[in-house]
């Protein structure tokens, strides 16, 4: 079977459009002898003269006229393969999948949903509680993005940094330690509560206590911040949590927060996604929609918490 020389098709297209060897050479940035040579090859390929000289002009053969119509469609389709895919939010019917903590679901997700329904009314959003252990397996997940705390971003994971925060101790306003400066002995003496859902909120504390042979006494572990709030209101537990979350929850409930009795590393917040989604137009649009809400809330509440922890003198 004869193997077609597809490299000649651009030359054929220009020759059929211009019907002029000199003009074709100019448009293709080739010499006239080179165009004449390629015309000879094309005549051999198609078994037809294609262009016939008539005085000072060239005429197309019937086969060439048929090829001109077919070639315009074929090359146009090939060129469209290289076009960047467009994205129209108003016509998008995609389900976007985002994961984070129940805190984000309660305090930030409603703003993201309002913007989504306004700009992409046919789209949908599926939200799930994030498990920090799943980050290395993000490539296997159906998730589009995760908003989480992490120090290390694995290979093939892309992201945007939202900001940072420090850990504090949250307790009920009725707690005997509320309003007092917290000592390490007191921190260790009282029972502790842990929120397991979302990002890693505890390893900075363990990195300080473990080398000293110290540990906290756990009373309960719960997956949701709202459950933790109800426990704090009814017990004398302590919850170590990011300052911006402590500030927000203390604005809504009878809670008090204060600094840890030791220094710990800050927590880094990221919006993350796998590399395979990075150049997808719909994904890019959605992360650019969600990111400002996540970053603004973090920045605003971190600033508010610092005013409480470090009041102006």
């Amino acid at each position: 079977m004869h193997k077609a020389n597809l490299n000649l098709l651009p030359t054929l297209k220009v020759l059929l459009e211009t019907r002029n060897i000199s003009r074709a050479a100019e448009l293709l940035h080739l010499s006239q002898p080179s165009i004449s040579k390629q015309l000879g090859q094309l005549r051999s390929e198609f078994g037809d003269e294609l262009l016939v000289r008539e005085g000072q002009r060239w005429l197309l053969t019937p086969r060439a006229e048929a090829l001109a119509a077919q070639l315009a469609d074929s090359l146009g389709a090939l060129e469209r393969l290289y076009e960047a895919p467009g994205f129209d939010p108003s016509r998008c019917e995609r389900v976007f999948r985002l994961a984070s903590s129940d805190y984000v679901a309660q305090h930030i997700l409603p703003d993201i949903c309002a913007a989504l329904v306004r700009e992409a009314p046919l789209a949908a959003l599926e939200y799930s509680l994030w498990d920090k252990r799943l980050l290395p397996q993000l490539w296997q997940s159906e998730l589009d993005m995760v908003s989480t705390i992490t120090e290390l971003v694995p290979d093939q994971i892309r992201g945007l940094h939202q900001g940072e925060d420090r850990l504090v101790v949250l307790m009920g306003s009725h707690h005997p330690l509320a309003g007092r400066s917290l000592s390490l002995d007191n921190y260790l003496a009282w029972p502790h509560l842990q929120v397991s859902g979302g990002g890693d909120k505890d390893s900075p504390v363990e990195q300080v206590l473990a080398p000293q042979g110290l540990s906290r006494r756990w009373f309960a572990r719960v997956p949701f911040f709202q459950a933790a709030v109800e426990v704090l209101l009814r017990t004398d537990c302590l919850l170590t949590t990011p300052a911006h979350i402590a500030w927000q929850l203390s604005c809504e409930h009878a809670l008090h927060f204060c600094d840890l009795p030791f220094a710990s590393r800050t927590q880094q917040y990221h919006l993350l996604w796998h590399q395979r989604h990075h150049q997808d137009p719909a994904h890019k649009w959605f992360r650019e929609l969600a990111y400002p809400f996540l970053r603004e809330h973090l920045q605003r509440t971190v600033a508010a918490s610092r005013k409480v922890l470090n009041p102006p003198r």
Side-chain angles (χ1 to χ4, degrees):
M1 178 182 289
H2 173 70
K3 186 176 180 180
N5 185 352
L6 299 180
N7 293 326
L8 295 173
L9 292 182
T11 299
L12 175 61
K13 181 174 182 291
V14 174
L15 280 170
L16 297 181
E17 289 174 349
T18 61
R19 306 185 189 192
N20 186 300
I21 290 179
S22 299
R23 181 60 178 152
E26 181 182 335
L27 292 174
L28 294 169
H29 304 288
L30 296 171
S31 66
Q32 288 190 35
S34 177
I35 294 296
S36 296
K37 179 181 178 182
Q38 290 188 38
L39 176 56
Q41 292 174 306
L42 285 164
R43 285 168 169 167
S44 176
E45 289 269 331
F46 287 97
D48 187 270
E49 285 294 297
L50 300 177
L51 280 87
V52 178
R53 189 71 176 259
E54 173 65 31
Q56 297 298 314
R57 56 183 183 163
W58 293 85
L59 302 178
L60 299 186
T61 67
R63 178 71 190 280
E65 290 176 347
L67 284 172
Q70 295 172 349
L71 200 56
D73 292 339
S74 300
L75 288 183
L78 287 173
E79 288 169 357
R80 285 191 292 275
L81 288 176
Y82 291 91
E83 291 178 358
F87 178 70
D88 181 356
S90 67
R91 301 176 64 182
C92 175
E93 299 182 8
R94 176 168 170 168
V95 177
F96 293 103
R97 292 176 170 86
L98 173 65
S100 192
S101 66
D102 69 306
Y103 175 86
V104 170
Q106 183 174 351
H107 294 95
I108 308 174
L109 184 64
D111 288 332
I112 295 174
C113 287
L116 180 65
V117 77
R118 184 171 59 248
E119 298 188 35
L122 303 179
L125 190 146
E126 182 176 317
Y127 189 92
S128 56
L129 191 63
W130 176 241
D131 183 336
K132 63 188 178 185
R133 296 170 296 182
L134 299 180
L135 188 56
Q137 285 81 46
L138 191 58
W139 64 275
Q140 295 176 306
S141 170
E142 292 184 348
L143 287 173
D144 288 300
M145 298 183 299
V146 54
S147 175
T148 189
I149 301 166
T150 185
E151 278 294 307
L152 299 175
V153 178
D155 291 341
Q156 300 303 312
I157 302 296
R158 303 292 288 262
L160 291 166
H161 187 237
Q162 299 171 30
E164 65 179 27
D165 197 9
R166 57 176 165 170
L167 291 171
V168 298
V169 183
L170 183 65
M171 64 194 79
S173 296
H174 67 274
H175 200 290
L177 297 178
R180 295 171 52 189
S181 180
L182 189 63
S183 69
L184 178 58
D185 286 343
N186 280 333
Y187 181 75
L188 297 176
W190 292 88
H192 285 257
L193 183 63
Q194 182 186 51
V195 176
S196 57
D200 179 9
K201 298 174 286 296
D202 293 291
S203 64
V205 173
E206 306 309 328
Q207 289 172 0
V208 174
L209 298 182
Q212 303 178 60
L214 303 174
S215 62
R216 290 173 283 181
R217 176 165 62 91
W218 293 106
F219 169 73
R221 290 180 171 89
V222 297
F224 309 120
F225 277 99
Q226 192 55 48
V229 166
E230 298 302 326
V231 174
L232 292 177
L233 293 174
R234 291 165 172 79
T235 69
D236 287 334
C237 284
L238 304 177
L239 174 65
T240 303
T241 193
H244 76 282
I245 294 178
W247 176 84
Q248 182 71 54
L249 296 179
S250 67
C251 289
E252 301 168 352
H253 305 278
L255 299 172
H256 172 83
F257 67 98
C258 62
D259 277 317
L260 281 167
F262 49 82
S264 66
R265 62 175 169 82
T266 58
Q267 302 208 302
Q268 306 300 319
Y269 284 79
H270 301 267
L271 181 63
L272 303 174
W273 59 90
H274 193 268
Q275 171 69 27
R276 65 193 177 97
H277 296 303
H278 188 62
Q279 292 180 311
D280 174 43
H283 189 281
K284 182 175 184 292
W285 175 84
F286 180 59
R287 65 185 184 248
E288 289 176 352
L289 175 92
Y291 175 71
F293 292 107
L294 293 160
R295 177 177 170 81
E296 187 280 330
H297 180 90
L298 177 64
Q299 300 286 342
R300 176 175 55 80
T301 52
V302 164
S305 71
R306 287 175 179 167
K307 290 179 181 178
V308 174
L309 293 168
N310 305 299
R313 295 181 181 180

